[in-house]
């Protein structure tokens, strides 16, 4: 079946976080910031949720063997990862899981390692729980972001936990198996627990292969917590479901106990139905979506090469979030952000929110229709062509 990726509705009156952030200042404008899609979810999911809504009874929901086996099947077929349903701990979101993991496995003031720039809630999960962030900045080598393994090991010596973003938001890297193994060996050598946030793992661009951290081998699997969800894959962020998958029983029990202490044991009937439908009926939709995102990426990259050759665009290997360098316009990050918003009605995520190293960069969300992207780039051209 051929799916359409040219349909989306304005979300002006939906209390959509991304849209409301624009305020009153941008009628008719589609924001390309926060990581949800300006595209419809798969028709199979819409149909299932309509049926669920029409059923008319929305009592407490749990998940059982059907759900567990569906997740197991998806991990096997899409990620070559053999899991057992009992390894799953469901939470209402990956970020909730990250906060719980920080509390479960570290003590106040312990150091948690991040490679930066990185998805900003990682910092908050650490600092808002009274722990300390230790950063190992990514380095750009021949136009590709890489981990500085020497620095990473130095920082790992004093850390208790490492939160990995795989694929990496915001720089779009899909870590190779070799890189993951290096990370894993350093973490094992230094007794650092790996929390691997793989929420974007289904959004992989042509020519790249995502390796689930826990598939590296038993010793790596025993030292990790893998955070997964269907929310990025099918744009279900508001439905509140994530699967935190923990092969090691001792680690799993600790996490489970923490989630209970946190009082989280409420599950969404809509989230569960949507995930089950996505994982059983929508693999083809994901393949076509990835192609659509990649086509948008090529269009974006080509636009910059033709119109603004000094704007460096990172290679998009995974996620639908493309990182690009606007420092050639000579504006500090906050000034650039203001200019984009006020003059261009352009709503991206500003690089500095991902850490100091992101200042002067922007992150554009390419999960939108081509028309929306074209219009945004026209506005970009208008405000920068004489700069
Ligand atoms: C790396 C990463 N983790 C987690 C999330 C959010 O997860 P959730 O909505 O399940 O809390 C995002 C959303 O952008 C993300 O990019």
């Amino acid at each position: 079946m051929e799916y359409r990726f040219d349909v989306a509705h304005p979300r002006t009156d939906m209390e959509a976080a991304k849209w409301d952030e624009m305020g009153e200042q941008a009628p008719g404008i589609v924001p390309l910031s926060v990581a949800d899609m300006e595209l419809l979810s798969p028709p199979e999911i819409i149909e299932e949720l309509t049926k669920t809504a029409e059923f008319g009874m929305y009592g407490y929901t749990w998940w059982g063997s059907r759900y567990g086996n569906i997740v197991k099947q998806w991990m096997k077929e899409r990620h070559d990862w053999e899991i057992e349903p009992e390894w799953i701990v469901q939470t209402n979101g990956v970020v909730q899981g990250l906060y719980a993991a920080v509390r479960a496995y570290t003590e106040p003031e312990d150091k948690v390692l991040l490679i930066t720039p990185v998805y900003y809630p990682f910092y908050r999960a650490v600092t808002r729980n009274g722990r300390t962030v230790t950063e190992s900045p990514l380095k750009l080598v021949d136009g590709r972001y890489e981990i500085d393994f020497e620095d990473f090991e130095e920082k790992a010596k004093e850390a208790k936990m490492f939160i990995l973003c795989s694929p990496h938001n915001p720089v779009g890297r899909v870590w190779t198996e070799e890189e993951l193994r290096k990370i894993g060996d350093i973490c094992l050598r230094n007794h650092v627990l790996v929390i691997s946030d793989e929420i974007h793992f289904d959004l992989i661009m042509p020519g790249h292969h995502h390796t689930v951290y826990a598939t590296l081998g038993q010793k790596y699997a025993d030292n990790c917590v893998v955070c997964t969800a269907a929310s990025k894959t099918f744009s279900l962020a508001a439905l509140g479901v994530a699967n935190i998958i923990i092969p090691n029983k001792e680690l799993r029990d600790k996490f489970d106990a923490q989630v209970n202490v946190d009082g989280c044991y409420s599950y969404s009937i809509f989230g569960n139905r949507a995930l089950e439908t996505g994982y059983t009926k929508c693999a083809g939709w994901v393949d076509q979506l990835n192609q659509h995102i990649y086509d948008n990426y090529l269009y974006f990259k080509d636009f910059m090469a033709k119109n603004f050759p000094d704007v460096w665009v990172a290679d998009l290997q995974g996620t639908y979030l493309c990182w690009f360098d606007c420092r050639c316009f000579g504006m500090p990050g906050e000034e650039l952000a203001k200019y984009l918003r006020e003059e261009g009605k352009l709503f991206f995520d500003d690089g500095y929110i991902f850490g100091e190293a992101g200042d002067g960069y922007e992150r554009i969300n390419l999960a939108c229709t081509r028309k929306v992207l074209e219009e945004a780039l026209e506005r970009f051209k208008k405000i920068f062509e004489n700069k």
Side-chain angles (χ1 to χ4, degrees):
M1 174 168 169
E2 194 158 332
Y3 293 100
R4 294 181 59 176
F5 297 97
D6 60 349
V7 189
H9 307 306
R11 293 195 282 152
T12 340
D13 294 322
M14 297 298 288
E15 302 200 316
K18 179 162 58 175
W19 284 69
D20 285 5
E21 243 176 41
M22 294 193 294
E24 299 293 308
Q25 54 177 319
I29 297 294
V30 178
L32 299 174
S33 51
V34 175
D36 55 26
M37 296 190 211
E38 295 308 324
L39 293 170
L40 294 184
S41 288
E44 294 84 353
I45 292 183
I46 297 170
E47 191 186 332
E48 179 61 33
L49 292 183
T50 306
K51 266 203 300 196
T52 307
E54 281 172 356
F55 186 69
M57 298 177 80
Y58 315 117
Y60 287 113
T61 297
W62 180 235
W63 62 271
S65 61
R66 183 183 71 198
Y67 178 96
N69 283 320
I70 287 172
V71 175
K72 178 181 163 88
Q73 187 81 2
W74 184 263
M75 297 309 159
K76 173 74 191 137
E77 283 173 8
R78 299 293 292 196
H79 299 290
D80 201 18
W81 184 23
E82 296 275 4
I83 69 157
E84 294 305 328
E86 74 221 33
W87 296 358
I88 301 168
V89 182
Q90 207 187 68
T91 62
N92 296 133
V94 162
V95 170
Q96 187 194 80
L98 296 177
Y99 275 65
V102 167
R103 282 195 293 275
Y105 304 120
T106 65
E107 301 296 326
E109 292 176 26
D110 275 350
K111 289 196 170 142
V112 178
L113 177 55
L114 306 179
I115 44 181
T116 59
V118 77
Y119 178 55
Y120 51 92
F122 281 19
Y123 295 93
R124 294 179 188 164
V126 178
T127 56
R128 290 184 181 175
N129 280 309
R131 277 67 165 168
T132 310
V133 169
T134 178
E135 293 186 46
S136 180
L138 288 163
K139 54 179 189 182
L140 255 179
V141 182
D142 300 331
R144 183 174 111 131
Y145 277 103
E146 293 190 356
I147 295 164
D148 181 342
F149 282 107
E150 236 174 77
D151 181 68
F152 183 81
E153 177 133 33
E154 271 315 298
K155 305 285 168 56
K157 283 180 184 155
E158 47 181 37
K160 271 273 184 59
M161 172 187 278
F162 167 50
I163 310 182
L164 169 68
C165 195
S166 177
H168 191 96
N169 172 11
V171 307
R173 275 296 319 275
V174 170
W175 305 114
T176 63
E177 189 176 332
E178 192 191 346
E179 287 171 310
L180 291 171
R181 211 171 281 284
K182 272 193 186 169
I183 290 172
D185 290 336
I186 292 172
C187 288
L188 282 169
R189 264 202 302 279
N190 293 284
H191 311 287
V192 175
L193 177 65
V194 178
I195 309 298
S196 187
D197 178 343
E198 304 193 20
I199 194 167
H200 295 277
F201 68 163
D202 292 315
L203 303 162
I204 304 299
M205 298 302 107
H208 295 279
H209 172 77
H210 175 82
T211 303
V212 172
Y213 184 83
T215 64
L216 293 173
Q218 192 64 44
K219 62 182 180 186
Y220 305 95
D222 279 340
N223 187 48
C224 77
V225 168
V226 182
C227 304
T228 75
S231 52
K232 296 292 168 219
T233 315
F234 304 111
S235 209
L236 311 173
L239 301 187
V241 178
N243 295 309
I244 312 302
I245 305 182
I246 313 176
N248 177 326
K249 183 168 183 326
E250 205 179 311
L251 290 178
R252 186 165 67 247
D253 288 348
K254 261 196 177 164
F255 183 81
D256 210 16
Q258 183 65 54
V259 168
N260 270 288
V261 167
D262 292 348
C264 308
Y265 44 84
S266 163
Y267 305 94
S268 159
I269 189 170
F270 290 99
N272 287 8
R273 288 296 91 78
L275 178 143
E276 289 183 353
T277 307
Y279 279 1
T280 50
K281 297 186 179 165
C282 303
W285 185 88
V286 178
D287 294 338
Q288 290 178 40
L289 169 75
N290 280 334
Q291 190 59 53
H292 171 75
I293 292 165
Y294 196 62
D295 290 345
N296 272 356
Y297 166 68
L298 294 180
Y299 181 87
F300 177 71
K301 201 172 151 76
D302 187 56
F303 168 90
M304 288 302 177
K306 281 193 183 127
N307 297 285
F308 302 99
D310 292 336
V311 171
W312 175 76
V313 177
D315 193 18
L316 188 73
Q317 303 183 346
T319 83
Y320 45 69
L321 307 164
C322 181
W323 184 245
F324 60 106
D325 184 355
C326 293
R327 287 176 302 171
C328 60
F329 298 122
M331 287 183 239
E334 286 191 32
E335 192 188 319
L336 172 70
K338 195 163 179 287
Y339 186 69
L340 284 165
R341 270 179 207 132
E342 291 180 3
E343 302 300 320
K345 305 288 175 228
L346 286 160
F347 298 84
F348 304 142
D349 266 340
D350 306 310
Y352 59 81
I353 67 173
F354 301 95
E356 227 173 275
D359 198 67
Y361 289 75
E362 291 289 325
R363 191 195 74 175
I364 182 171
N365 182 333
L366 296 172
C368 60
T369 65
R370 174 60 62 84
K371 186 164 174 283
V372 161
L373 179 60
E374 282 171 5
E375 286 170 2
L377 294 182
E378 275 313 307
R379 296 199 301 280
F380 190 95
K381 193 166 164 182
K382 228 183 190 166
I383 60 166
F384 285 117
E385 64 191 347
N386 297 318
K387 272 259 161 204

